[in-house]
Amino acid sequence: MTSSPRLEKVTPDNVLAACRLKVQPYQERLVAPVARSLAEAYVHPELAWPRLIFDGEQLVGFVMGFFAANFASDGSDDDFRSGIWRLNIAAGQQGRGYGRFAVESVCEEVRRRGHTRATTTWAPGEHGPERFYLRLGFRPTGEKSGDQTVGELDLTGA
């Protein structure tokens, strides 16, 4: 990182740059593009927390948190969770700490909202983000969300 990264809201002034953000070509099958995330945020404004990651004036990534989403797969029980919905770090900016910053920022917001665990999902397999999330302390729950692995981070001691 060249300076101090920060999160910013998506605005009319930066939305096109956000939609142009690209991950590594081999990662495109593993994470939805920012435009899809923004569409999901638009139709789920009560759940979604989309933010752009800037370092100085440079857009380096996108993260979208979610808060109090019901993970109950059969609809018969309440299983509300919060965490990381989407994380896209620009292809030329990976490996510089921006992903860690984004995850820590979402976890801070999860705590601020009174939750004690952060949930995320990741696509398994080669080039997937599993090692990244495991290094940050997330642990697989044994659950699946579609074809994705569900992981959680305990925020009570973090």
Side-chain angles (χ1 to χ4, degrees):
M1 290 182 275
T2 57
S3 63
S4 185
R6 68 185 185 285
L7 297 184
E8 289 191 10
K9 291 182 179 181
V10 180
T11 68
D13 293 330
N14 62 29
V15 69
L16 292 178
C19 289
R20 288 192 294 263
L21 189 134
K22 301 287 184 208
V23 296
Q24 294 286 354
Y26 60 82
Q27 295 169 329
E28 290 175 355
R29 67 176 182 78
L30 302 172
V31 64
V34 173
R36 177 177 169 180
S37 297
L38 293 176
E40 290 169 334
Y42 179 81
V43 298
H44 298 288
E46 72 286 359
L47 298 176
W49 193 70
R51 296 293 187 268
L52 299 178
I53 307 160
F54 280 89
D55 191 348
E57 296 305 310
Q58 185 172 13
L59 175 63
V60 297
F62 171 83
V63 65
M64 187 159 71
F66 67 91
F67 302 103
N70 193 346
F71 261 59
S73 60
D74 61 5
S76 64
D77 193 15
D78 290 338
D79 182 14
F80 293 98
R81 301 184 195 186
S82 299
I84 291 101
W85 188 343
R86 195 76 32 77
L87 178 60
N88 305 61
I89 302 298
Q93 302 298 326
Q94 295 179 10
R96 297 180 180 185
Y98 300 122
R100 173 182 288 275
F101 165 78
V103 170
E104 289 172 353
S105 296
V106 171
C107 288
E108 181 179 310
E109 184 67 16
V110 169
R111 275 191 211 94
R112 190 187 73 73
R113 294 178 184 226
H115 303 277
T116 60
R117 63 181 173 162
T119 302
T120 194
T121 62
W122 60 78
E126 187 177 12
H127 302 299
E130 181 174 43
R131 288 189 324 213
F132 167 76
Y133 284 116
L134 294 177
R135 279 194 312 269
L136 293 178
F138 284 85
R139 294 295 167 246
T141 65
E143 302 166 276
K144 292 283 189 182
S145 178
D147 62 349
Q148 303 235 331
T149 300
V150 177
E152 286 189 346
L153 176 63
D154 179 359
L155 299 177
T156 59

